[in-house]
Amino acid sequence: MEMKDIIAKVNHYSALAKKRTLTDEETIERQKYRTLYLEQFKSQVKGHLDQVKVVDQNGNEVKLNKKITKLS
């Protein structure tokens, strides 16, 4: 599922929650989409960070000791 579709679902359930109390099923669905959003967001950020290169003032790439394995 694409991020824009996930965001639309999260926003849908948030708007419903402002109007009325969500049913148990709706609450579960909302949590599912929130979790999916966070997982994809973290994955995208990790992907971007993995592409970042650190260079010194001479333009030489600096090797880092660690790779990011998990975003909290």
Side-chain angles (χ1 to χ4, degrees):
M1 184 173 244
E2 289 190 40
M3 193 65 127
K4 66 179 182 175
D5 298 326
I6 295 169
I7 292 170
K9 287 289 192 179
V10 169
N11 289 340
H12 168 74
Y13 286 116
S14 294
L16 273 181
K18 288 180 182 179
K19 294 178 183 175
R20 62 173 173 81
T21 303
L22 297 178
T23 65
D24 290 341
E25 185 177 292
E26 290 169 333
T27 302
I28 291 167
E29 282 290 302
R30 178 176 66 170
Q31 188 57 44
K32 178 180 95 171
Y33 286 111
R34 284 179 171 177
T35 301
L36 191 56
Y37 171 81
L38 288 174
E39 288 171 356
Q40 287 197 14
F41 179 82
K42 288 176 186 179
S43 177
Q44 288 176 355
V45 170
K46 182 184 179 312
H48 288 295
L49 291 176
D50 285 345
Q51 299 300 315
V52 171
K53 293 182 181 177
V54 178
V55 295
D56 62 17
Q57 57 193 5
N58 297 321
N60 300 315
E61 186 176 343
V62 177
K63 296 290 183 186
L64 300 176
N65 296 337
K66 247 184 184 179
K67 243 191 152 157
I68 298 172
T69 57
K70 182 179 179 185
L71 295 175
S72 300

